[in-house]
Amino acid sequence: NAGVTQTPKFQVLKTGQSMTLQCAQDMNHEYMSWYRQDPGMGLRLIHYSVGAGITDQGEVPNGYNVSRSTTEDFPLRLLSAAPSQTSVYFCASSPLDRVEEQYFGPGTRLTVT
Amino acid sequence: EDKVVQSPLSLVVHEGDTVTLNCSYEVTNFRSLLWYKQEKKAPTFLFMLTSSGIEKKSGRLSSILDKKELFSILNITATQTGDSAIYLCAGEFNDYKLSFGAGTTVTVRA
């Protein structure tokens, strides 16, 4: 099993550009989530999904969209990048009844200039 | 608003020392309190605590929860350089949503 994979590992965007961060898992997990991590602020939940076709907002959803067309994939879209979205983004997945034991991907470091 | 506060924000110890990390929380609908270790990249799960006073142990790490006073501690005994990491505390306060504290950075010097 590859576990949770994220692409790209690094990305630099200009303000106003859009892009999609990819996340995939091969463990057949129902639950998937996206977090951002900023210095001194821990991890903050952006969006999450409890299964294909179902998504919901987390703590900081503004400026981000998600969709879950398959169990395996959970892409995060930045609609119009802003410098405030400079961060490290983590995707995670788990069985639905074990959200506490989420498996995290390696992260994507995004810089918006 | 649900809130998780960790202290200290960082600390430096020498190998063999014992470390105690603190996590306090304010919640409307408590389900569980979680600890993670984050080394260079992604966090990894350490403990889940749901009941007061029951210690969870894994090797040199242990953790306990006090639901009356709304806090948890994570202890690391006989620290090693491999324990250097960010330790994150999180609460599951609503279905499927975790709220994380800012983390405590532990540096263990040889």
Side-chain angles (χ1 to χ4, degrees), chain B residues 3 7 11 16 28-29 33 35-37 39 43 47 54 59-60 63-64 69 96 99 105-107:
Chain B
K3 194 173 169 185
S7 64
L11 71 161
T28 51
N29 183 28
L33 192 290
W35 285 96
Y36 295 84
K37 179 182 182 181
E39 295 178 84
F47 297 114
I54 298 175
R60 294 175 294 101
S63 184
I64 199 161
E69 300 297 328
Y96 310 123
S99 294
T105 301
V106 175
T107 304

Side-chain angles (χ1 to χ4, degrees), chain B residues 23-26 52 65-72:
Chain B
C23 176
S24 64
Y25 61 92
E26 298 172 19
S52 279
L65 175 68
D66 184 329
K67 289 171 73 174
K68 183 179 175 187
E69 300 297 328
L70 306 184
F71 78 89
S72 174

Side-chain angles (χ1 to χ4, degrees), chain A residues 9 31 35 37 40-45 48 50 56-59 90 96-97 99-107, chain B residues 1-2 9 32 34-36 38 40-45 47-48 86 88 92 95-103:
Chain A
K9 290 194 170 100
Y31 183 84
Y35 294 88
Q37 186 173 33
M41 300 192 75
L43 291 163
R44 291 184 290 169
L45 181 65
Y48 67 98
V50 297
D56 206 347
Q57 296 181 349
E59 184 184 351
F90 288 101
L96 201 54
D97 60 347
V99 170
E100 67 279 1
E101 294 187 31
Q102 292 180 65
Y103 293 85
F104 285 83
Chain B
E1 183 180 320
D2 298 325
L9 290 181
S32 63
L34 312 168
W35 285 96
Y36 295 84
Q38 184 176 21
K40 291 183 181 171
K41 289 192 175 177
T44 54
F45 171 75
F47 297 114
M48 180 176 77
I86 300 172
L88 297 165
E92 187 183 5
D95 284 350
Y96 310 123
K97 292 186 182 181
L98 302 186
S99 294
F100 282 82

